[in-house]
Structure formats: structure tokens, C-alpha cells
Amino acid sequence: MFDGQITFIYVADLERSHDFYRATLGLSLVLDQGRCRVYRAATAAYIGICDTRPPVASSSLILTLVTDDVDGVHTRLVDAGAPIDVAPRSNPEFGIYQLFTRDPDGYVVEVQRFDDPSWASSDESI
């Protein structure tokens, strides 16, 4: 088993992206390496942003943040002027409540709540 996870993305403007992940989404900055910054998304899950190579926004990448307060995050995103691609909605197929936005470089950010209480089960036989 691993101790944590970091998803790194490459951005065009480090300060603009810092404002989005730190101020708009409210993630804690845990490490500033100058050209890369790492934010805590959950206890042992992190998002890293770097300006070390050209950004490659991809519709195949989705950064998903899990919270019970999807509507509260929606309000914070709207107040900050962030684009809302899909307003909060129930997704019965996956048993989740979700919204979709985009960061300043066009990466898709999903905010979701699992309605199925077994989603974080430690049963490794699943």
C-alpha cells in the first residue's frame, strides 16, 4: 500500500492556477518548489501544478475532489467567477452528486459526493 498520491498537471500561468486551487477551491499549499506547487486535496492526496513544460489541457484528464459539501463548493466557484460546465446534479448511474468546472488551463475539475456509503470501504476483495 502507498502512503499518498499526487496528480501533477502543467499550467500556463502558475500564479493564476495558484489562485484557482488555493483561493477558489480552498486547497492548502503544502510545498512550494518555485516552479511547482503541491496542494493537499485530502489527507494523503495532492494536486501538483508546474510551469516546467507547455500545458496540455486534455479532456481525458479529470481531477476529482470528493466532499460532502458540493453545493458549498459550487457557491464558492460561482462567487469567484469560475466557469460551471455542469451545475450540481445527481448521477444515479454512479451513485454520486457532482458538478464540473474547469481550471484556468482548461483542465476538467469534478467535485463530487459519493451517495453510496461503501465507496471508501477497506474491503480489498471488491
Side-chain angles (χ1 to χ4, degrees), residues 33-109:
Q33 299 173 307
R35 294 174 49 182
C36 287
R37 295 180 185 167
V38 179
Y39 304 84
R40 183 182 313 276
T43 302
Y46 304 87
I47 296 171
I49 61 172
C50 300
D51 70 354
T52 56
R53 60 171 109 152
V56 182
S58 170
S59 61
S60 64
L61 173 78
I62 298 175
L63 297 174
T64 299
L65 301 172
V66 179
T67 180
D68 286 334
D69 191 18
V70 174
D71 292 324
V73 174
H74 177 254
T75 298
R76 190 166 55 214
L77 289 166
V78 169
D79 289 349
I84 304 298
D85 292 347
V86 176
R89 67 177 177 135
S90 237
N91 184 330
E93 179 181 2
F94 295 106
I96 60 175
Y97 183 66
Q98 68 189 143
L99 70 79
F100 289 92
T101 186
R102 290 188 182 268
D103 81 356
D105 289 278
Y107 290 104
V108 175
V109 178

Side-chain angles (χ1 to χ4, degrees), residues 17-28:
S17 293
H18 169 76
D19 288 344
F20 179 79
Y21 287 98
R22 175 67 187 106
T24 302
L25 286 177
L27 303 183
S28 297

